[in-house]
Amino acid sequence: MKELYFKALTEALHESGICTPTLVLDKERLDRNIDHLIDVLNKGFDYRLVTKSLPSIPLLQYVMRRTGSQRVMCFHLPFLLQIVSQIPSADILMGKPMPVRAARHFYDWHQKQTSSMCFSPDLELQWLIDSPERLDQYERFAEERGLNLRVSLEIDVGMHRGGFRRSAAFSEALRKIHHSRHLTLTGLMGYEAHIPNIPSVLGGPARAFKDAQGRYQNFIDALLTELGQDALEGLTLNTGGSSTYTMYGDTSFASEIAAGSALVKPKNYDQDTLEHHVAACYIAAPVLKKVDHPEIPLSPVISAMLRWVGVLPKKGAFIYGGNWLARPVFPRETEQVRLHGRSSNQELYGFPQDTELEEDDFIFFRPTQSESVFRQFGQIAVYENGVISDWWPVFQEEHNPRETGAQNGDSAETKIYSL
């Protein structure tokens, strides 16, 4: 079955004239994964798309249409600007705390953009706050600019990567926001990607999941104690992730779940919680040079010995590109030849002697993650019904706003970088 699939994919790539390393997205497999996600959403959850894992505007728009959600989670300032410009209806929650300078750059940029005026930060953007110090910074900035900032508090539910951990600091932050003229509390976010990786000696994923639920509920209880039941109305209570979203059975403490990688299922997400999902993305690398009896430089005799003991393959190929965060999956038993080292230009791979592979065919790799790998290829080749049906551009860095390097009298705080 695998051989037939990749032969059909090879034929589609040849028919499209593709001759460079290409990121391929199988749209039919993507749909299957979305259907599994919708099964969980039907339990009552709202869904927030994780944009770093689906780093393409057309891809995000497609998933939005299929799931009926406009909620996205954003992790990078340049990508925030692209989303605001191209999907102004998006409801955006920042997925990590950003330096207050990032907020300053965003509002400077947004004020100058006519194309993004349909986007209202007062209604559609939540900044993530992880500490009392950052909360103070954002309040001072909002007061300086006369802004109303919507803020969501990052809470530590067991991963220990930051966020509010102690109830005293959390309660103080709630009081500060409640009495502020420039800040509005819009939600909580508790990320728990550690859960599937907890070993059985520590209780395993089941215990970790129960612990995370209890920690999240403690923060909700603290919120109710501090601000009352009415304060909970309409709040974004975000949790989950691609490796954990399937574990949620009801909305007893969280109102929305986030996921992204699960929809394309790179190699790192081969976990029990996603056993019903299928891999939907591959790198296709053209074969440039077939090699019989690969050798290491200046050592033909040693090379023969290494082939005899299996350290060097009896057959191999140099590919176009390489050194990606990915693992070869086809042809079978394909492996990178470590004695030749890694190369991003022409990397050597070996495979069994009976492998049928010609120059200009493809070796297929499965990305270990999507967030950085997708963006290395510029565009995504969409594979559907046996053909490459579309090309979807990925996020670009464009001009990454920095506070250094302002020239010609422009201050670092007012210099605007357009897309």
Side-chain angles (χ1 to χ4, degrees):
M1 182 66 73
K2 177 186 286 189
E3 184 173 355
L4 292 176
Y5 176 80
F6 285 110
K7 284 186 175 181
L9 186 50
T10 294
E11 184 177 344
L13 294 170
H14 282 159
E15 287 292 323
S16 295
I18 292 172
C19 57
T20 58
T22 301
L23 194 290
V24 181
L25 177 65
D26 188 319
K27 195 173 182 182
E28 295 170 45
R29 293 186 172 198
L30 172 66
D31 281 338
R32 287 173 60 184
N33 294 336
I34 293 174
D35 288 341
H36 289 305
L37 170 68
I38 291 174
D39 287 342
V40 176
L41 298 181
N42 286 339
K43 298 174 183 179
F45 294 102
D46 292 317
Y47 170 53
R48 193 169 294 275
L49 290 75
V50 178
T51 60
K52 69 180 177 63
S53 304
L54 306 170
S56 162
I57 293 294
L59 174 55
L60 290 173
Q61 290 172 324
Y62 181 77
V63 177
M64 285 178 169
R65 288 194 297 271
R66 288 278 280 108
T67 60
S69 175
Q70 293 293 314
R71 303 179 182 219
V72 303
M73 185 177 286
C74 185
F75 296 79
H76 191 30
L77 179 59
F79 302 164
L80 171 64
L81 308 188
Q82 292 172 66
I83 293 170
V84 168
S85 293
Q86 300 183 57
I87 315 179
S89 61
D91 178 292
I92 302 172
L93 168 63
M94 298 307 294
K96 63 186 176 188
M98 303 293 286
V100 72
R101 296 182 184 91
R104 188 181 302 275
H105 278 297
F106 171 78
Y107 286 98
D108 285 344
W109 171 85
H110 185 260
Q111 188 178 11
K112 300 279 183 79
Q113 300 299 307
T114 57
S115 62
S116 64
M117 294 310 294
C118 293
F119 180 85
S120 173
D122 290 351
L123 300 174
E124 298 175 272
L125 178 60
Q126 302 179 56
W127 298 97
L128 192 64
I129 302 296
D130 64 326
S131 68
E133 294 76 19
R134 202 179 306 274
L135 184 63
D136 289 342
Q137 292 174 352
Y138 271 73
E139 184 176 42
R140 287 196 298 270
F141 166 66
E143 185 175 8
E144 169 194 325
R145 292 292 187 91
L147 299 170
N148 176 44
L149 301 184
R150 305 168 76 233
V151 297
S152 188
L153 299 182
E154 181 181 18
I155 55 176
D156 183 355
V157 295
M159 190 171 176
H160 304 331
R161 195 176 65 176
F164 287 91
R165 187 171 180 177
R166 304 188 185 284
S167 58
F170 177 73
S171 296
E172 177 60 30
L174 293 176
R175 289 192 292 270
K176 189 176 188 66
I177 297 170
H178 181 67
H179 292 104
S180 174
R181 294 180 300 167
H182 298 280
L183 303 177
T184 300
L185 179 68
T186 52
L188 307 179
M189 189 194 79
Y191 188 45
E192 29 66 312
H194 63 288
I195 288 176
N197 303 312
I198 299 299
S200 57
V201 69
L202 296 178
R207 180 186 175 189
F209 183 66
K210 184 177 180 180
D211 177 73
Q213 286 182 302
R215 290 173 184 267
Y216 206 122
Q217 187 61 56
N218 288 340
F219 283 106
I220 293 176
D221 292 343
L223 187 151
L224 293 174
T225 299
E226 195 65 45
L227 301 180
Q229 183 68 40
D230 291 345
L232 201 60
E233 187 68 27
L235 285 188
T236 297
L237 300 178
N238 177 275
T239 192
S242 283
S243 59
T244 59
Y245 89 89
T246 59
M247 302 177 74
Y248 289 86
D250 59 61
T251 58
S252 57
F253 71 95
S255 62
E256 72 170 30
I257 53 177
S261 296
L263 302 185
V264 294
K265 200 182 181 184
K267 181 67 175 173
N268 285 354
Y269 289 82
D270 284 346
Q271 300 184 7
D272 292 343
T273 53
L274 294 178
E275 62 180 357
H276 52 303
H277 282 241
V278 292
C281 58
Y282 297 98
I283 297 169
V287 172
L288 296 180
K289 307 164 186 174
K290 291 174 59 180
V291 181
D292 289 325
H293 306 104
E295 295 184 356
I296 58 177
L298 303 176
S299 306
V301 176
I302 295 177
S303 295
M305 293 174 60
L306 292 174
R307 288 195 299 271
W308 184 69
V309 298
V311 175
L312 274 176
K314 294 181 174 62
K315 191 173 185 179
F318 286 95
I319 65 169
Y320 192 147
N323 201 23
W324 299 292
L325 292 173
R327 301 286 183 268
V329 292
F330 188 82
R332 63 181 178 83
E333 299 180 42
T334 298
E335 293 184 357
Q336 192 258 333
V337 181
R338 296 184 179 182
L339 285 178
H340 269 253
R342 303 309 304 260
S343 172
S344 299
N345 176 40
Q346 298 181 66
E347 196 160 48
L348 178 61
Y349 283 82
F351 31 76
Q353 186 73 32
D354 61 351
T355 301
E356 296 180 3
L357 192 69
E358 301 298 327
E359 291 180 357
D360 300 335
D361 282 343
F362 297 89
I363 290 179
F364 291 93
F365 298 79
R366 191 168 164 209
T368 57
Q369 58 157 264
S370 58
E371 56 194 75
S372 68
V373 175
F374 275 38
R375 295 195 291 111
Q376 291 181 264
F377 295 88
Q379 288 187 313
I380 299 169
V382 181
Y383 178 60
E384 183 180 19
N385 296 324
V387 300
I388 303 301
S389 62
D390 206 348
W391 291 90
W392 289 349
V394 298
F395 284 148
Q396 300 297 318
E397 288 289 343
E398 298 294 341
H399 300 286
N400 189 11
R402 297 176 295 173
E403 288 234 325
T404 58
Q407 299 176 355
N408 300 325
D410 289 337
S411 71
E413 294 184 348
T414 60
K415 189 175 182 66
I416 305 301
Y417 295 79
S418 60
L419 290 172

